């Protein structure tokens, strides 16, 4: 994480977070899948070859989860931290990352560091309808906008970087 986080152009770095059974819980966030922010590769095995090497690559994402995020203090203060007025419980990390992009910073996720993440041990794992609506209004309201790090020919129901069937 620190290797990427020290680079001036990178505003936030996330890592691979695993369920206790070692399946992937988070490895970057894709915006717009099912009209929200979705965790890339959720449920996949770390050695899944179907994603054509994407699981083993450190790469840009629109966002990473704050469950384990590296961001320099100076950048965090410059961005005004998390917006806990609009996003009290969920998506404040996604909002933070999207604001980083708007100011010219990159957001990177590396699979070369990994932790077991017990996500629901501190709060329920539920969408908060008001915050989903706020996320949609703020970032997903333009029908022409697409996540620049997820190709439209990839599956749109599950963000695992596998091509959708071609008709």
């Amino acid at each position: 994480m620190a290797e990427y986080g020290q680079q001036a152009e990178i505003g936030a770095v996330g890592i691979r977070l695993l369920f206790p059974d070692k399946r992937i819980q988070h490895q970057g966030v894709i915006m717009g899948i099912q009209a929200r922010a979705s965790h890339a590769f959720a449920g996949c095995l770390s050695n899944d070859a179907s994603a054509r090497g994407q699981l083993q690559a450190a790469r840009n994402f629109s966002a990473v989860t704050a469950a384990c995020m590296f961001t320099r203090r100076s950048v965090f203060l410059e961005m005004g931290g998390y917006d806990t007025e609009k996003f009290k419980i969920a998506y404040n990390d996604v909002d933070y990352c999207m604001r980083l992009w708007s100011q010219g910073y990159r957001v990177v996720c590396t699979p070369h560091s990994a932790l077991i993440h017990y996500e629901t041990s501190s709060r329920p794992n539920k969408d908060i309808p008001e915050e989903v609506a706020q996320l949609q209004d703020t970032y997903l309201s333009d029908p022409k906008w697409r996540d620049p790090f997820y190709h439209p020919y990839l599956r749109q129901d599950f963000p695992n970087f596998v091509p959708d069937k071609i008709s």
Side-chain angles (χ1 to χ4, degrees), residues 42-158:
C44 293
L45 297 173
S46 296
N47 62 353
D48 187 340
S50 66
R52 297 188 171 95
Q54 292 291 326
L55 279 167
Q56 285 68 43
R59 57 185 310 275
N60 292 327
F61 278 94
S62 287
V64 293
T65 180
C68 187
M69 176 193 292
F70 180 105
T71 188
R72 293 183 308 282
R73 177 179 167 79
S74 61
V75 173
F76 190 76
L77 294 174
E78 174 189 340
M79 300 307 299
Y82 299 122
D83 185 343
T84 56
E85 292 299 314
K86 286 184 184 175
F87 301 100
K88 291 177 177 34
I89 297 172
Y91 301 119
N92 49 44
D93 49 1
V94 173
D95 170 68
Y96 175 74
C97 289
M98 295 297 285
R99 287 186 286 124
L100 285 170
W101 279 109
S102 74
Q103 295 303 307
Y105 289 104
R106 291 175 38 218
V107 176
V108 174
C109 189
T110 177
H112 305 300
S113 295
L115 293 171
I116 303 294
H117 182 220
Y118 298 94
E119 179 172 23
T120 55
S121 64
S122 62
R123 68 175 177 87
N125 187 18
K126 295 183 188 173
D127 277 333
I128 291 84
E130 302 81 30
E131 295 187 18
V132 171
Q134 182 67 47
L135 180 81
Q136 291 169 338
D137 289 346
T138 306
Y139 298 108
L140 303 172
S141 60
D142 180 355
K144 293 180 182 173
W145 188 87
R146 290 192 169 277
D147 189 311
F149 306 106
Y150 196 74
H151 198 280
Y153 289 130
L154 298 174
R155 282 183 61 176
Q156 297 299 303
D157 61 334
F158 182 71

